[in-house]
Amino acid sequence: AYSLGVFVNVDLFTGGYEELDWVQSKETKDTASLRIWCNNLAINRHMKQRRAGPYSVDNVKHSMDWSRLANETHTFDNDEEDDYDETYWRDFVMGNGERNKRRIAPKLVTFSSLYPSCDMITNDALISCNPVLSMRAKQAPVHLFYG
């Protein structure tokens, strides 16, 4: 079976929406593959909107699935500027280098670059069964306290 996906821009105040794009999946029979496809669509779309990683290079038609380049390190990315630097990604995207060799990305794009306003919580709190008592936004003066 094939699945269709639609990207929409929803205005929460008016309830209106705008269709941005329609996509169709490859044929699949299980829900796990469909879930992976949906997650990859979302990551690619967000990378494109943020102009991160390969999407930082202008005038290139991106037909590949770049979601494999997104990685979560559960820390803030110290070299986040590289995620948006066109000169850093150009050779990789354009395929410059030796022929018949698999292209290797210069780095992985961390989720902290794709979602800069989110606070990173590591799995240590879950593994040790310690509750997360507070969270703060990375680039905003917001601090949430629980308890």
Side-chain angles (χ1 to χ4, degrees):
Y2 294 95
S3 297
L4 291 176
V6 62
F7 290 100
V8 294
N9 190 12
V10 178
D11 186 335
L12 296 177
F13 296 108
T14 66
Y17 68 92
E18 172 189 9
E19 295 175 6
L20 301 175
D21 200 7
W22 286 82
V23 291
Q24 180 179 350
S25 72
K26 295 178 182 176
E27 187 172 9
T28 183
K29 295 181 181 175
D30 61 307
T31 57
S33 297
L34 185 58
R35 186 178 322 113
I36 291 169
W37 176 72
C38 289
N39 289 339
N40 290 346
L41 279 177
I43 289 171
N44 275 297
R45 185 72 174 194
H46 208 70
M47 287 174 78
K48 185 176 184 179
Q49 287 174 333
R50 303 273 315 154
R51 296 184 49 83
Y55 291 104
S56 65
V57 179
D58 287 327
N59 303 321
V60 175
K61 183 177 181 195
H62 297 278
S63 59
M64 293 185 65
D65 174 10
W66 297 114
S67 62
R68 66 183 171 85
L69 300 178
N71 183 37
E72 186 48 67
T73 60
H74 301 291
T75 60
F76 290 121
D77 188 6
N78 292 331
D79 58 351
E80 194 171 280
E81 300 82 31
D82 295 338
D83 291 345
Y84 307 106
D85 186 359
E86 179 179 1
T87 58
Y88 196 79
W89 289 91
R90 179 165 287 290
D91 286 342
F92 171 71
V93 172
M94 302 305 280
N96 297 344
E98 296 182 32
R99 294 258 188 240
N100 301 328
K101 280 192 130 185
R102 185 167 187 237
R103 292 185 289 177
I104 298 173
K107 68 173 287 204
L108 297 177
V109 178
T110 61
F111 285 147
S112 62
S113 293
L114 296 178
Y115 302 95
S117 60
C118 295
D119 189 23
M120 304 306 295
I121 300 295
T122 66
N123 283 332
D124 295 337
L126 299 175
I127 294 168
S128 63
C129 298
N130 292 327
V132 176
L133 300 177
S134 69
M135 293 174 61
R136 65 182 164 77
K138 182 178 174 186
Q139 296 179 345
V142 176
H143 199 136
L144 300 175
F145 292 96
Y146 303 96

